[in-house]
Amino acid sequence: MATIKDIAKAAGVSVTTVSRALNGYGDVNEKTRKHIEETAKKLNYSPNAVARSLVMNKSRTIGLLVSELNRSGAKDMFTYEVMCGINDAASDVGYDLILFSTNTVKQKQKSYTQLCRERQVEGVIMQGIKKDDPYIKEVIDSNIPCVFVDVELEGDNVGFVTTDNVFGAQMAVKHLINLGHRHIAMVNGHDKAEVSQKRLKGYMKELQEAELPVKEDYVLNGGFLESKAESAAYNFLKTNRQVTAVFCASDLMALGVMRAARRLELNIPEDLSIVGFDDIVLSQYTSPPLTTIGQDKYQMGYEAAKLLTSMLTGKKSPHKKAVLDNQLLLRETTAPPK
Amino acid sequence: MATIKDIAKAAGVSVTTVSRALNGYGDVNEKTRKHIEETAKKLNYSPNAVARSLVMNKSRTIGLLVSELNRSGAKDMFTYEVMCGINDAASDVGYDLILFSTNTVKQKQKSYTQLCRERQVEGVIMQGIKKDDPYIKEVIDSNIPCVFVDVELEGDNVGFVTTDNVFGAQMAVKHLINLGHRHIAMVNGHDKAEVSQKRLKGYMKELQEAELPVKEDYVLNGGFLESKAESAAYNFLKTNRQVTAVFCASDLMALGVMRAARRLELNIPEDLSIVGFDDIVLSQYTSPPLTTIGQDKYQMGYEAAKLLTSMLTGKKSPHKKAVLDNQLLLRETTAPPK
DNA sequence: TCCACCTCCCAAAACGTTTCGGATCATTTG
DNA sequence: CAAATGATCCGAAACGTTTTGGGAGGTGGA
């Protein structure tokens, strides 16, 4: 608990000099700097970041706000992997991460902006948030720098990182078309999610380019839930035997569809081809392993943090967004139709 | 950015009174309190936690130190789920979480204790750390309150939470014995991990109680890795056909053993029964689904945070540890031997 | 000799809170 | 009526830094 004062006293100089010596300023004699550094080490000094934050008005902290940090996120490791990326990128440039838990109860009594301002975070990364979440407006109104994951918003202090969801969906559908499928359904997430909209767009675009009809009732609502996707797919496939392939907006929903297929005694991939989206860990372990569109989740987090810190250090980067590629991972749930 | 001073000026009182009013002290007139609260709201005031921390010498922050916050943790969602529990428990009592990334490079230039002291965290939760990690000595020497996950250390400022690993292993082995197995191998993690030692102990204890021989070469080293477990099991099972069951110290290693069995054309569970440990998400999705010992990872995190915060608030709780039960989850990788 | 200009150092203010030790005035008690 | 008590309020110090605006003392040039 040695402070800068203790060092000053021990080294026989003023606190000013200690501060300037330790922070590498030029106007302190090399000999006294050495001396100060030695006594600092001897006293086992470590600077008090809180005091520093107070006077500098900078906390070197970025807030991490994930809408649902809970067990349900355990299946798709999305949140976790993104977090790893954020963590690495942030620590590279000496920023620490503070976790804002945001259950709706708390949200009532303390607004998001308040949380940020209290803790004096310099910027925020928001993840897993829906497009109509009130938080979004709040963060934009406050002028705290922010980058979103998978919400395409850009502004003075706002950026985002995402993957090319439209093209990803196109790849998935194109793959099915190339295999010979003509009746391709889609199980989508909820329409408030930006990624859902994009993936639907890609689905439709690719069908149009192949001059296949786009049928509205071929698009099912799976709500990003395994169970909901299962029941939706079950009901649909039962009465639509002409459909030979399903594109799912998430791997988790693809698992649900696989389950539905099993209940209907449809063999995968002989009777039904399935393509997912995300490449969650599980998808390699299903039987058969799931063909899917892979996103580099770690990289998304890494880019998000890099984007934010570059915004903070005032580097006027012209682009406030990063769109990553994703790729088709061929596994065993797709085959030509019978 | 309104400060307490601004409120004082606007409300025509002193900063002292504002502070005391806002913090619910008794010696301020109810009328002036109301007035102060109103002007605070009008000025959109939110307290500066940094300044408060400085003067109070309390940050209401707890550090979260996980040894490997990286992609490799994505498979077993252990880290993530524990984190969710910690987060919930911490936010219940108004603590925020700060994430300490700790790759070994950084560790060189800035010790763990320094990180904690700089950020003035009140306590730490350490997770995923090996028993011989130098960090452990460091944290015990510093007197920062700390609770470990799955490392049984107790002291003045140190506690831990874990599950009953010995008994868990016993349950697993007993289940196999009850099915009629007599030659039961074990794939263990690395021996520096406390949980490995415990699970091995349970394995041996249960064999002894059933008066079955404990053979040293029946214990394989899987290093907590799927691939290592696979090759170890492959070599072992190839030459030990009398073995009809394997108990694995982690689900991930159990997956490796399943893979090895497949390569040896052993059917699961007819030719080989397998029991895992952890109940990771994946284990429900393998084919066949994995019988395992379930740990409530979320609860572990929750208890860890509760333990720490109770230590911090000075509640002299006599027990500085929490040992949770775990349970046998019967799925489809176990059956009587042929 | 005087002035300008380095080099090295320092005192004091500032950041936004909390809290200690009174101060003021009105009311009750002896 | 004097003294004690109680209810409200406030000034100032403190927390550990950074930073501003100099101040010595020395050197070199005119």
Side-chain angles (χ1 to χ4, degrees):
Chain A
M1 311 295 134
T3 78
I4 216 175
K5 274 185 200 164
D6 301 326
I7 300 178
K9 206 174 294 175
V13 295
S14 77
V15 293
T16 309
T17 310
V18 177
S19 174
R20 300 185 75 79
L22 260 28
N23 288 309
Y25 280 72
D27 65 345
V28 32
N29 190 326
E30 204 52 40
K31 235 172 68 185
T32 58
R33 179 197 307 282
K34 275 269 156 51
H35 180 215
I36 287 172
E37 275 167 356
E38 276 163 19
T39 54
K41 187 152 288 175
K42 207 182 317 174
L43 295 181
N44 194 18
Y45 169 76
S46 58
N48 184 329
V50 173
R52 180 181 289 158
S53 293
L54 180 61
V55 61
M56 307 235 295
N57 221 358
K58 300 237 161 157
S59 60
R60 283 203 93 72
T61 298
I62 81 187
L64 186 50
L65 205 140
V66 333
S67 83
E68 305 262 334
L69 189 62
N70 57 25
R71 270 172 289 188
S72 73
K75 277 195 183 174
D76 59 354
M77 291 298 325
F78 201 92
T79 304
Y80 178 79
E81 289 191 51
V82 173
M83 224 165 66
C84 293
I86 292 175
N87 186 50
D88 283 354
S91 86
D92 277 355
V93 289
Y95 274 80
D96 280 330
L97 245 48
I98 181 160
L99 231 57
F100 288 133
S101 47
T102 140
N103 52 56
T104 31
V105 189
K106 287 249 156 186
Q107 190 171 348
K108 286 273 149 58
Q109 51 189 194
K110 203 173 267 185
S111 86
Y112 152 80
T113 328
Q114 275 178 311
L115 277 176
C116 292
R117 291 205 328 213
E118 280 189 16
R119 287 292 183 174
Q120 302 276 105
V121 304
E122 296 187 32
V124 211
I125 296 179
M126 300 190 86
Q127 188 190 165
I129 219 155
K130 292 179 196 164
K131 219 177 173 181
D132 62 344
D133 195 301
Y135 271 179
I136 292 191
K137 188 176 159 27
E138 208 187 321
V139 62
I140 298 204
D141 287 347
S142 85
N143 54 359
I144 302 171
C146 175
V147 358
F148 291 94
V149 173
D150 269 343
V151 179
E152 304 200 0
L153 280 172
E154 234 178 324
D156 236 17
N157 280 308
V158 182
F160 68 89
V161 24
T162 185
T163 60
D164 192 338
N165 285 291
V166 175
F167 189 68
Q170 283 187 260
M171 278 197 296
V173 176
K174 185 189 295 258
H175 168 57
L176 292 169
I177 291 173
N178 286 345
L179 285 172
H181 293 277
R182 290 298 170 264
H183 291 275
I184 303 172
M186 170 169 184
V187 179
N188 206 357
H190 41 68
D191 51 357
K192 294 298 181 203
E194 183 127 28
V195 293
S196 291
Q197 300 167 5
K198 297 276 179 177
R199 290 169 195 176
L200 177 60
K201 191 171 158 192
Y203 163 78
M204 297 198 300
K205 192 169 169 193
E206 192 62 30
L207 287 183
Q208 281 158 359
E209 284 182 12
E211 294 182 351
L212 289 173
V214 177
K215 300 196 186 178
E216 203 165 305
D217 58 327
Y218 270 22
V219 178
L220 278 47
N221 179 7
F224 281 127
L225 294 173
E226 186 175 357
S227 56
K228 195 167 175 189
E230 176 181 348
S231 60
Y234 182 83
N235 292 329
F236 174 80
L237 292 172
K238 204 165 52 180
T239 54
N240 289 272
R241 296 290 177 167
Q242 76 283 8
V243 170
T244 57
V246 180
F247 163 57
C248 301
S250 83
D251 281 358
L252 220 47
M253 293 193 294
L255 298 187
V257 175
M258 286 173 77
R259 214 176 277 240
R262 215 165 297 133
R263 278 167 58 199
L264 291 165
E265 293 181 354
L266 295 170
N267 289 322
I268 300 169
E270 296 79 12
D271 302 325
L272 187 70
S273 286
I274 299 179
V275 182
F277 209 118
D278 283 349
D279 188 30
I280 64 177
V281 177
L282 272 176
S283 60
Q284 300 171 43
Y285 288 86
T286 53
S287 55
L290 182 67
T291 293
T292 192
I293 303 296
Q295 302 191 85
D296 194 338
K297 299 169 272 298
Y298 176 89
Q299 195 63 26
M300 287 175 79
Y302 197 90
E303 293 294 334
K306 247 179 51 185
L307 189 58
L308 182 61
T309 52
S310 83
M311 279 165 63
L312 292 179
T313 49
K315 274 178 217 134
K316 270 273 176 250
S317 57
H319 42 274
K320 289 220 177 30
K321 63 173 179 174
V323 179
L324 306 179
D325 287 336
N326 34 34
Q327 64 191 118
L328 176 63
L329 299 170
L330 290 175
R331 292 203 269 255
E332 299 166 29
T333 54
T334 49
K338 278 202 291 205
Chain B
M1 312 297 134
T3 78
I4 215 175
K5 274 187 199 163
D6 301 326
I7 299 178
K9 205 174 294 174
V13 294
S14 78
V15 292
T16 309
T17 309
V18 176
S19 174
R20 300 185 75 78
L22 260 27
N23 288 308
Y25 280 73
D27 65 345
V28 32
N29 191 324
E30 204 52 40
K31 236 171 69 184
T32 57
R33 180 198 305 282
K34 276 267 157 53
H35 180 216
I36 288 172
E37 275 168 356
E38 276 163 19
T39 53
K41 186 152 289 175
K42 206 181 315 173
L43 295 181
N44 193 18
Y45 169 76
S46 59
N48 184 329
V50 174
R52 179 181 289 160
S53 293
L54 181 60
V55 60
M56 307 236 294
N57 220 358
K58 300 237 162 158
S59 58
R60 283 203 92 72
T61 297
I62 80 186
L64 187 50
L65 205 140
V66 331
S67 82
E68 305 262 334
L69 189 62
N70 58 25
R71 270 172 288 188
S72 74
K75 276 196 181 173
D76 60 355
M77 290 298 328
F78 201 93
T79 304
Y80 178 79
E81 290 191 50
V82 172
M83 224 165 68
C84 293
I86 292 175
N87 185 50
D88 284 354
S91 85
D92 277 355
V93 289
Y95 275 79
D96 281 330
L97 245 47
I98 181 161
L99 231 57
F100 288 132
S101 47
T102 141
N103 52 57
T104 32
V105 190
K106 286 249 156 186
Q107 189 171 350
K108 286 274 151 55
Q109 52 189 194
K110 203 173 267 187
S111 85
Y112 152 79
T113 328
Q114 274 178 312
L115 277 177
C116 292
R117 292 205 328 214
E118 281 188 15
R119 286 293 182 172
Q120 302 277 106
V121 304
E122 296 187 32
V124 212
I125 295 179
M126 300 191 84
Q127 189 189 165
I129 219 155
K130 291 179 196 163
K131 218 178 172 179
D132 61 345
D133 195 300
Y135 269 179
I136 292 191
K137 188 176 159 27
E138 209 188 322
V139 62
I140 298 205
D141 287 348
S142 85
N143 54 359
I144 302 170
C146 175
V147 356
F148 292 94
V149 173
D150 268 343
V151 179
E152 304 200 1
L153 281 172
E154 234 178 323
D156 237 17
N157 281 306
V158 183
F160 68 88
V161 25
T162 185
T163 60
D164 192 339
N165 285 291
V166 176
F167 189 69
Q170 282 186 261
M171 278 197 297
V173 175
K174 184 189 297 253
H175 167 59
L176 291 170
I177 291 173
N178 286 345
L179 284 172
H181 294 276
R182 290 297 170 263
H183 292 273
I184 303 172
M186 170 169 183
V187 179
N188 206 358
H190 42 68
D191 51 357
K192 294 297 182 206
E194 184 127 28
V195 294
S196 291
Q197 300 167 4
K198 298 276 179 178
R199 289 169 195 176
L200 176 60
K201 192 171 156 193
Y203 163 78
M204 296 199 298
K205 192 169 167 193
E206 192 63 29
L207 287 183
Q208 280 159 0
E209 282 181 12
E211 296 181 348
L212 289 173
V214 177
K215 300 196 187 177
E216 204 165 305
D217 58 327
Y218 271 23
V219 177
L220 278 48
N221 180 7
F224 281 127
L225 294 172
E226 186 175 357
S227 56
K228 195 167 174 191
E230 176 180 349
S231 61
Y234 181 83
N235 293 329
F236 174 80
L237 292 172
K238 202 165 53 181
T239 54
N240 288 273
R241 295 289 176 169
Q242 76 283 7
V243 169
T244 57
V246 181
F247 164 56
C248 301
S250 83
D251 281 358
L252 219 48
M253 293 193 294
L255 297 187
V257 175
M258 286 173 76
R259 214 176 277 239
R262 214 165 296 134
R263 277 167 58 198
L264 292 164
E265 293 183 355
L266 295 170
N267 289 321
I268 300 170
E270 296 80 11
D271 302 323
L272 187 71
S273 285
I274 299 180
V275 182
F277 210 116
D278 282 350
D279 188 30
I280 65 178
V281 177
L282 271 176
S283 60
Q284 301 171 44
Y285 287 87
T286 53
S287 56
L290 181 67
T291 293
T292 191
I293 302 296
Q295 301 192 85
D296 194 338
K297 300 169 271 299
Y298 176 89
Q299 195 62 26
M300 288 176 79
Y302 197 89
E303 292 294 332
K306 248 179 51 184
L307 189 58
L308 182 61
T309 52
S310 82
M311 279 166 62
L312 292 179
T313 49
K315 273 180 216 134
K316 269 275 176 249
S317 57
H319 42 273
K320 288 222 178 27
K321 63 172 180 174
V323 179
L324 306 179
D325 287 335
N326 34 34
Q327 65 191 117
L328 176 64
L329 298 170
L330 290 176
R331 291 203 269 257
E332 298 167 28
T333 54
T334 49
K338 279 203 288 208

